[in-house]
Amino acid sequence: AAAESSGEGTTIQAPLAGTIFKIHVNSGQPVAKGDVVIILEAMKMETEIRCSEPGVVADILVREGDSVAVDDKLLVIK
């Protein structure tokens, strides 16, 4: 997954358009590099969105069932 780093943390972005199938993390939860944080469904295929760096989930910007486009922001890791 694409990640954008700033002083506010790292934002994980959607690598492709699809629907948020499952969110595997909660705000405040610690995550390690490589952890699956979201499952994105596109064209009947599930794609694992993995954490690009260790940290804590600061903000989840989508909900299960939401449609997303390429590069939409999904969550923020601090």
Side-chain angles (χ1 to χ4, degrees):
E4 178 182 288
S5 188
S6 71
E8 299 298 312
T10 299
T11 303
I12 296 179
Q13 297 170 292
L16 56 127
T19 303
I20 302 299
F21 181 69
K22 182 78 177 151
I23 299 174
H24 285 278
V25 293
N26 297 305
S27 289
Q29 179 178 333
V31 290
K33 182 176 180 174
D35 283 357
V36 175
V37 291
I38 291 177
I39 303 289
L40 181 66
E41 183 180 50
M43 299 184 299
K44 303 291 181 196
M45 302 221 11
E46 294 178 6
T47 301
E48 294 179 337
I49 309 299
R50 295 182 177 268
C51 196
S52 58
E53 62 182 59
V56 175
V57 178
D59 198 9
I60 299 172
L61 307 172
V62 293
R63 291 181 290 174
E64 290 179 9
D66 283 357
S67 292
V68 295
V70 175
D71 292 334
D72 278 0
K73 294 176 180 175
L74 305 176
L75 54 88
V76 179
I77 306 291
K78 287 191 178 185

